Amino acid sequence: MEGLRLAHNIGDENHSNYHTREQILACDDPIGFDGVYRNVYENQDVLKGKSGIMFVMGNFLGGNNEFDLKNVPKLERYCTLDEVKELCSLYAFEIGWHTWSHRNLCELSEKEILQEIAAPFRTRYLRYPYGEYCNKVIECVKRAGYEKAYSVIQGVYDHPYKMFSNYVERI
Ligand SMILES: [Zn+2]
């Protein structure tokens, strides 16, 4: 998926982890949702006519973001796998994988990396936790058979496992 932009929460919090409904509506590029937060499901009417990827984290499906409260200003819930699958069936979104536990893959052994990126369903797309990757991680991603892997802090536009994607614009 080319020109993918990233977003986390949909809501009115004045914080970089949140996009308003208006900002999502104004985005004409495919959107990759990181989480996927329950407020995306609750605001799903803004996904009509949009496309993109729903990147889920295995251990947090149906849970909350307590582990990530230094990056998000308040406690939020994540969708269940059924809710994400429902969104993907209703709108032009594909499911992607954001690892089981959202650990920085560069700090793990090869065996641990392969475990973290092994999705329990078929998917073409991976998003790196914290956007962090290195050569060791890329080798594992290739072996696992992913088509593309995305970062938001490092990357280029023409390498399948170093895909750079900006955030949805804050208008
Ligand atoms: Zn993430």
Side-chain angles (χ1 to χ4, degrees), residues 8 34-35 57 68 98 102 127-130:
H8 296 95
D34 181 330
M57 295 173 285
D68 203 23
H98 195 32
H102 206 273
R127 169 157 157 65
Y128 300 114
Y130 312 105

Side-chain angles (χ1 to χ4, degrees), residues 77-171:
R77 292 201 68 77
Y78 292 112
C79 288
T80 64
L81 187 57
D82 280 346
E83 287 166 342
V84 174
K85 284 182 172 171
E86 187 187 331
L87 291 175
C88 292
S89 72
L90 292 171
Y91 311 97
F93 282 76
E94 271 189 57
I95 195 162
W97 188 240
H98 195 32
T99 75
W100 285 99
S101 69
H102 206 273
R103 288 194 287 168
N104 180 346
L105 296 177
C106 298
E107 293 169 0
L108 305 181
S109 70
E110 198 178 295
K111 188 179 164 210
E112 289 173 312
I113 296 168
L114 288 167
Q115 284 169 351
E116 281 289 336
I117 65 176
F121 45 75
R122 214 174 251 284
T123 176
R124 307 195 280 166
Y125 304 119
L126 179 77
R127 169 157 157 65
Y128 300 114
Y130 312 105
E132 298 278 0
Y133 62 80
C134 55
N135 287 339
K136 177 177 67 175
V137 168
I138 288 178
E139 269 316 301
C140 293
V141 169
K142 196 190 281 181
R143 268 170 63 189
Y146 282 95
E147 269 180 39
K148 285 194 167 131
Y150 293 87
S151 173
V152 70
I153 59 159
Q154 42 178 338
V156 294
Y157 292 99
D158 59 355
H159 187 294
Y161 304 133
K162 297 181 181 179
M163 296 299 289
F164 175 75
S165 52
N166 237 323
Y167 284 108
V168 170
E169 242 177 288
R170 317 186 69 79
I171 41 171

